[in-house]
Amino acid sequence: MTTSRTSRVFNGLLFILLIIFATSAKSESVDTRILNEILSYMNETIPACDDYYGYACGKWAKVHENDNYIEITGKIDHAVNQNLVLLMNELAQRSVNQLSAVESKVLKFYQSCRQTKTSSLNSKNYLRLVPPNDQIPWPQFKAKSHPWGRQKFQWMETLARLRRYGLSNVFFKLDVNQDILNSSKYIIDIDVPSFQEKNERLQSSTITKLMLQLVGVERRKAFSLSGKVKNLELSVRTLAERLSEGDSVDVTLRRLDQRTRGKWRNYVNIVCNQTVASNYKVQVDNMDYLVGLIEFLQHEDPEVIATYIMLRFASHVIEEAMDIDDEISCIQDVRRNMELAVSLLYEQRFISADKMRQHKDDLQQLFEQLRKQFLLELDGNRLRLTHNQLRHLQTKARRMWIKFGNMPQDVNRTKFVEEFYADLNFSDGDNYAQCHLKLLEFRTSRWFGQLYKSALNASSYFLMTDSDTAMSSTPYYLLRQNLIIVPYGIMQEPIFHSEAHDVFKMSLLGFMLAHELMHGFVTGGIHFDFQGNGYELGADIMEKRLYKVAEDCMNSNETAYLDEREADITGIRLAYDAYFADDSPFNRTQPEFTSRPLIQLFFLNLAQFFCGDGTSSEFVDHDADELRLRQVMINFPAFAQAHNCRQDVDQMHPAKKCRMW
């Protein structure tokens, strides 16, 4: 009896020891795996103080020379895409009766992409499906023996029809935005067009001529017509630049029609697919431009106007589609067009209930420590703010939200997503272009549908994203919601693992969250209060002498993306201080898996966010990663201390460090 009891006790202790050992080994393997990846990118022949990017990231391009992504977030997205391809293959093995309505629609669009030949993505397919109106085709598609019917062409009606498929910024911009002073209210805003980005204007004359030839225009006429549409665009651009300054006014559609001699109420009726009252108010940012535009176009050739609109629409739909039909490209296409559905299916297939709770807890812990640290920095009041200014910033920090997944949190998400897509219907015979157009129209209708609803609170909120954001797993801050959204895909190696050492958690994902948090308190975000409403107090803070000193310091190496640089520099300090604070809840003991000092490990892992092999032209709304990392490190004394760098010898090691908060 005693021997049996002893045996049971021994076996129990052995079982406990095995669990402890297995847990320890698993934790060590995670840390070792992350560290080995970091080490594989390093080039230690380059001095860390002279070129930290080369030191920390020097071998990244070589390691990933055969991969189709250019940085760590791209690596994460590739893993997400591979999982989603696996999911599509699993769904394809089921019978129709075994698929939910959402699964069926996602699979249909994915398969329409996979079955599409690249040649069928020719813009002619879209243009035949979407003519200028119900009475006439595009001029290039008319029967040769018949006149086109220019008297039936109404350019505002055509633009309204195309706006339903997402085309904007042609002759003017009309969009749905939150009221600047009331973030719970959505309004229609009309503004001058922008020509800054490549997708906001026609391409070169050669490409314009080629596009015309591809839709059937004879070569000689294409040469002449391309010149006419280019001249039309130049005239509109000149008009927009000449009348770019204007006061924003709220005006009824009836008054707008009278003032400009346009058909704005009819335009809005078409876009919203319902009759809008003539006394419905819209916001016009430049009335003089709209008056001048309509007057100018009255004297232009309708065929040239129609051709210009057609070319812009053709460019729009092709840009909104993936240009090849491989598995990864098609799943990206699904993500960019059906993000809410994809998020639900990804959660159901790859995130268990336990894992969901764990990820939410991990994120909340990181975020709460960052918030706590930032509130301490505000208490220091180094900008010498007034009591009222300080109180407003503290309130904004305390009321900021973080959410795991771009999904509503307080509803039955399966039911919510099914109802959201209830009006989206594909026919069995729909090809890719038909499915794609239905999705573009569906997305636009949902976007304009916000006009008839109050803005959701942070818990219920989900963002109807643009195409690029929908395909990305990178966290982002919404200044009108005072909300950080962390997409599902980001919570995986090498960016995060719940069992990794805390130095890895805070130095990479912690920095990413700190960067987003700080967007609420630097250029751009500081203009809005905790409810996302614009207020003058933010402008007053930016006029403070010490704020201007900090801003000028950060822009000493001039950048077009000052808000991003400010978020980088303030974000790294926040993440570092939150981790190394005396009362930090995180593990700050020297890890056994490496002899590198903890502080060096912190900066090495941080650098992984910036490692890559992309060219400067591949970065949108940010400086190139190498420049970003350099600016972060030269403005942070702790980095210089970690590597014993001199701080007063040259521009790379300035004695003066930029600091805002």
Side-chain angles (χ1 to χ4, degrees), residues 423-479:
D423 295 335
L424 174 66
N425 295 297
F426 299 127
S427 300
D428 291 340
D430 283 349
N431 60 28
Y432 173 79
Q434 291 168 316
C435 290
H436 189 206
L437 285 169
K438 286 182 177 181
L439 275 168
L440 291 176
E441 187 172 22
F442 176 82
R443 289 168 60 189
T444 304
S445 70
R446 286 293 180 267
W447 183 255
F448 275 83
Q450 295 175 113
L451 290 168
Y452 310 104
K453 300 177 182 178
S454 296
L456 300 171
N457 62 40
S459 179
S460 302
Y461 183 82
F462 69 96
L463 176 67
M464 283 184 269
T465 56
D466 60 84
S467 297
D468 291 336
T469 303
M471 291 192 296
S472 172
S473 298
T474 306
Y476 49 92
Y477 173 68
L478 300 173
L479 56 88

Side-chain angles (χ1 to χ4, degrees), residues 384-637:
R384 300 176 188 172
L385 305 178
T386 67
H387 173 75
N388 188 47
Q389 290 169 340
L390 203 58
R391 181 174 59 83
H392 275 277
L393 294 182
Q394 290 167 335
T395 300
K396 183 173 183 177
R398 291 190 179 102
R399 298 290 291 271
M400 186 179 288
W401 291 67
I402 188 168
K403 189 162 68 169
F404 182 45
N406 182 25
M407 295 277 283
Q409 300 295 302
D410 56 357
V411 299
N412 180 320
R413 290 196 287 277
T414 299
K415 181 180 179 182
F416 178 87
V417 175
E418 287 177 350
E419 292 176 350
F420 183 83
Y421 288 100
D423 295 335
L424 174 66
N425 295 297
F426 299 127
S427 300
D428 291 340
D430 283 349
N431 60 28
Y432 173 79
Q434 291 168 316
C435 290
H436 189 206
L437 285 169
K438 286 182 177 181
L439 275 168
L440 291 176
E441 187 172 22
F442 176 82
R443 289 168 60 189
T444 304
S445 70
R446 286 293 180 267
W447 183 255
F448 275 83
Q450 295 175 113
L451 290 168
Y452 310 104
K453 300 177 182 178
S454 296
L456 300 171
N457 62 40
S459 179
S460 302
Y461 183 82
F462 69 96
L463 176 67
M464 283 184 269
T465 56
D466 60 84
S467 297
D468 291 336
T469 303
M471 291 192 296
S472 172
S473 298
T474 306
Y476 49 92
Y477 173 68
L478 300 173
L479 56 88
R480 302 306 307 276
Q481 285 72 34
N482 199 26
L483 168 68
I484 298 173
I485 291 181
V486 181
Y488 286 147
I490 205 69
M491 300 294 283
Q492 59 182 303
E493 291 183 57
I495 287 181
F496 187 84
H497 194 292
S498 61
E499 296 179 4
H501 192 285
D502 286 344
V503 70
F504 291 134
K505 296 178 183 179
M506 183 57 85
S507 56
L508 190 43
L509 182 58
F511 163 71
M512 295 169 73
L513 299 181
H515 172 103
E516 299 306 326
L517 186 157
M518 294 313 303
H519 266 305
F521 302 92
V522 297
T523 301
I526 202 169
H527 289 286
F528 297 91
D529 66 13
F530 74 94
Q531 293 178 310
N533 298 325
Y535 65 159
E536 293 183 1
L537 184 142
D540 293 340
I541 293 174
M542 292 186 69
E543 289 299 315
K544 301 286 284 190
R545 184 185 68 83
L546 291 177
Y547 188 98
K548 287 185 173 182
V549 168
E551 192 172 52
D552 290 344
C553 179
M554 293 183 187
N555 201 32
S556 57
N557 182 5
E558 192 170 348
T559 175
Y561 314 110
L562 183 57
D563 59 329
E564 293 296 337
R565 181 172 296 172
E566 290 171 349
D568 279 345
I569 294 173
T570 57
I572 180 54
R573 180 181 293 274
L574 182 61
Y576 180 91
D577 289 347
Y579 179 69
F580 285 103
D582 291 339
D583 62 346
S584 168
F586 300 112
N587 178 8
R588 291 182 291 122
T589 59
Q590 177 62 39
E592 296 180 358
F593 56 84
T594 180
S595 60
R596 290 181 182 275
L598 203 63
I599 188 171
Q600 289 189 12
L601 204 58
F602 183 94
F603 289 117
L604 275 174
N605 196 45
L606 163 74
Q608 303 310 300
F609 179 75
F610 300 98
C611 290
D613 59 355
T615 62
S616 58
S617 63
E618 293 177 281
F619 296 96
V620 179
D621 297 333
H622 294 78
D623 290 320
D625 281 340
E626 183 174 357
L627 176 59
R628 289 178 68 186
L629 182 60
R630 179 177 180 274
Q631 289 296 313
V632 166
M633 294 311 181
I634 67 174
N635 282 296
F636 197 34

Side-chain angles (χ1 to χ4, degrees), residues 175-270:
D175 209 345
V176 173
N177 297 318
Q178 287 169 279
D179 189 310
I180 193 72
L181 298 177
N182 181 4
S183 63
S184 67
K185 177 184 176 183
Y186 286 93
I187 61 171
I188 290 178
D189 180 75
I190 307 174
D191 201 357
V192 298
S194 171
F195 298 91
Q196 184 175 356
E197 303 297 331
K198 285 185 177 181
N199 64 353
E200 295 177 332
R201 60 183 187 270
L202 293 176
Q203 298 187 57
S204 67
S205 296
T206 300
I207 294 178
T208 301
K209 182 175 67 175
L210 180 60
M211 289 181 67
L212 288 169
Q213 290 179 265
L214 288 174
V215 297
V217 179
E218 183 268 329
R219 182 181 179 187
R220 182 174 297 179
K221 185 175 181 180
F223 181 82
S224 171
L225 194 53
S226 66
K228 291 178 181 178
V229 294
K230 291 286 287 184
N231 287 336
L232 174 67
E233 182 175 78
L234 179 60
S235 296
V236 173
R237 184 172 187 171
T238 301
L239 180 69
E241 291 172 352
R242 180 167 61 85
L243 299 175
S244 60
E245 299 297 327
D247 295 328
S248 180
V249 296
D250 292 337
V251 60
T252 65
L253 290 172
R254 180 194 301 112
R255 179 57 183 154
L256 184 59
D257 282 347
Q258 294 169 345
R259 180 74 176 83
T260 64
R261 297 184 181 180
K263 297 182 178 180
W264 296 99
R265 186 186 177 198
N266 184 56
Y267 180 102
V268 174
N269 286 343
I270 293 172

Side-chain angles (χ1 to χ4, degrees), residues 116-123 125-126 318 321-324 432:
T116 297
K117 302 298 181 184
T118 303
S119 59
S120 67
L121 287 176
N122 190 302
S123 58
N125 297 319
Y126 288 95
I318 295 302
M322 303 305 293
D323 57 0
I324 50 179
Y432 173 79

